């Protein structure tokens, strides 16, 4: 399997009792990113590129639910079974379930390589809980990146998506096809179509995004953290656009962090 050097994110995917492999080296300037954007805009694809090139850990709440769903059914708690039902229909999992899960994994926000939150927060309630936790634990955000794309292109991306059943790499039947049809380039796992990529679930997911998640754009704009990036073009072009927008902000946030630490030392 060609996953050398890739962190398996065990502590995030399985919970805090699991040990991550290949933990990223401590960075002097760890990235703290939140990726926002409608389902299918390409957040997971960008998170994977950001992880491979910036080494910050990819923390996706959807991946945690999908991993739980593919484990043995009798191990699932009633709350997790209920969560998977919401997910299949394209609805949001209740805030309390999501927040319990994230809080349990909050050590991942202190990952030495930094973090990329993908699919969380998704409601104002989740964003407020996360902000309170970050303020309390002095976790710094570099930026919140909001990816934007017209709806017809989003629907085409979702309808053609295929995911590896082993390493979870994401492909697209026409835009990012694997070298061998139906098989993953990285680990030769089988590619499958996600249950929530059926047309009826896609419609619910897009409506839910507009109603519950789009208001977060204003929330983070007011906090001065929002960076809007067009999600058109190839994944590499979008990645370059993202990093281009973020580079100077990254250094500024780090300088602010150092200044703050110096002030705290002086006051104590
Ligand atoms: P989640 O897993 O977070 O899914 P999502 O937000 O719906 O996002 P997707 O994974 O569908 O899309 P993406 O933007 O990552 O796009 P991708 O990179 O794959 O959540 C799933 C469900 O879990 C939710 O509906 C909810 O039920 C539950 N859930 C999770 N978190 C929750 C929370 N916080 N609160 C409540 N409920 C929660 O790309 C899509 C396709 O496009 C791929 O085929 C890809 O190859 C292709 N593609 C990507 N980039 C390009 C490009 N530049 N050009 C052409 N094709 C491209």
């Amino acid at each position: 399997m060609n996953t050398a050097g890739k962190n398996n994110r065990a502590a995030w995917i399985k919970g805090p009792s699991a040990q991550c492999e290949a933990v990223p080296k401590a960075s002097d300037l760890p990235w703290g990113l939140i990726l926002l954007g409608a389902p299918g805009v390409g957040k997971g694809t960008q998170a994977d590129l950001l992880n491979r090139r910036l080494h910050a850990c990819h923390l996706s709440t959807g991946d945690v639910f999908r991993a739980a769903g593919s484990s043995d059914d009798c191990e699932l708690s009633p709350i997790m079974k209920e969560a998977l039902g919401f997910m299949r229909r394209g609805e949001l999992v209740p805030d309390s379930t999501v927040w319990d899960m994230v809080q349990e994994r909050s050590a991942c926000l202190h990952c030495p390589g930094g973090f990329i939150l993908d699919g969380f927060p998704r409601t104002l309630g989740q964003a407020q809980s996360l902000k309170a936790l970050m303020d309390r634990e002095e976790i710094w955000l570099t930026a919140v990146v909001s990816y934007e794309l017209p709806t017809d292109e989003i629907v085409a991306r979702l309808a053609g998506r295929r995911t590896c059943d082993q390493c979870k790499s994401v492909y697209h039947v026409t835009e990012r096809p694997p070298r061998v049809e139906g098989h993953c380039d990285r680990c030769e796992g089988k590619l499958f179509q996600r249950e929530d990529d059926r047309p009826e679930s896609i419609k619910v997911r897009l409506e839910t995004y507009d109603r519950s998640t789009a208001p977060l754009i204003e929330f983070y704009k007011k906090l001065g953290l929002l960076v809007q990036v067009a999600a058109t073009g190839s994944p590499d072009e979008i990645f370059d656009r993202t990093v281009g927008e973020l580079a100077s902000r990254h250094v500024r946030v780090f300088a602010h962090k150092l200044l703050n630490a110096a002030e705290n030392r002086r006051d104590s």
Side-chain angles (χ1 to χ4, degrees):
M1 195 194 264
N2 179 20
T3 54
K6 186 166 161 58
N7 183 1
N8 65 351
R9 305 177 293 162
W12 178 256
I13 300 290
K14 295 183 184 159
S17 56
Q19 290 270 315
C20 288
E21 278 171 27
V23 176
K25 271 201 287 200
S27 161
D28 287 340
L29 262 83
W31 291 80
L33 296 174
I34 292 177
L35 306 189
L36 279 184
V41 76
K43 302 180 297 296
T45 303
Q46 289 305 313
D48 187 45
L49 288 175
L50 289 159
N51 164 254
R52 280 191 276 151
R53 298 181 191 171
L54 308 179
H55 311 297
C57 199
H58 176 190
L59 309 178
S60 151
T61 37
D63 282 352
V64 178
F65 290 127
R66 277 185 289 279
S70 59
S71 68
D72 187 351
D73 208 36
C74 16
E75 285 174 20
L76 287 181
S77 66
I79 287 186
M80 195 48 99
K81 278 191 188 156
E82 187 198 44
L84 295 177
F86 282 107
M87 203 173 158
R88 266 179 221 118
R89 293 190 295 276
E91 296 164 19
L92 291 185
V93 175
D95 277 358
S96 57
T97 308
V98 176
W99 181 243
D100 284 351
M101 192 184 89
V102 170
Q103 226 180 347
E104 195 186 30
R105 293 162 168 77
S106 65
C108 293
L109 299 173
H110 295 278
C111 185
F115 63 88
I116 306 151
L117 278 170
D118 163 18
F120 178 87
R122 244 177 160 100
T123 63
L124 274 177
Q126 292 178 15
Q128 282 155 350
S129 301
L130 178 68
K131 183 173 182 315
L133 183 140
M134 288 185 155
D135 288 348
R136 204 168 51 242
E137 299 197 7
E138 296 187 17
I139 298 166
W140 289 72
L141 266 181
T142 314
V144 176
V145 183
S146 174
Y147 288 109
E148 284 153 22
L149 193 68
T151 308
D152 54 340
E153 289 188 50
I154 288 179
V155 172
R157 285 188 186 178
L158 286 173
R161 171 166 53 192
R162 298 293 180 270
T163 307
C164 172
D165 68 354
Q166 299 294 316
C167 72
K168 313 301 172 203
S169 293
V170 173
Y171 297 85
H172 189 278
V173 285
T174 53
E175 300 297 323
R176 304 186 70 205
R179 282 192 293 271
V180 178
E181 195 185 329
H183 293 276
C184 178
D185 293 348
R186 286 196 198 161
C187 74
E188 294 171 14
K190 273 203 188 138
L191 303 187
F192 70 97
Q193 183 166 31
R194 268 170 49 175
E195 265 189 281
D196 59 351
D197 282 347
R198 288 167 299 138
E200 60 276 25
S201 305
I202 291 178
K203 186 169 178 290
V204 176
R205 287 162 69 200
L206 292 173
E207 286 166 358
T208 307
Y209 174 78
D210 283 340
R211 196 174 51 248
S212 304
T213 312
L216 295 190
I217 293 177
E218 208 44 47
F219 177 84
Y220 286 115
K221 198 184 269 177
K222 282 192 183 141
L223 291 175
L225 287 164
L226 192 78
V227 173
Q228 288 169 293
V229 174
T232 46
S234 71
D236 280 334
E237 283 166 352
I238 301 164
F239 173 83
D240 289 345
R241 212 174 284 145
T242 305
V243 173
E245 292 284 343
L246 292 181
S248 61
R249 174 181 282 269
H250 190 208
V251 175
R252 262 200 329 271
V253 169
F254 186 67
H256 194 57
K257 189 174 167 180
L258 284 181
L259 211 66
N260 198 53
E263 275 174 13
N264 285 346
R265 269 199 308 275
R266 214 181 39 229
D267 293 345
S268 62

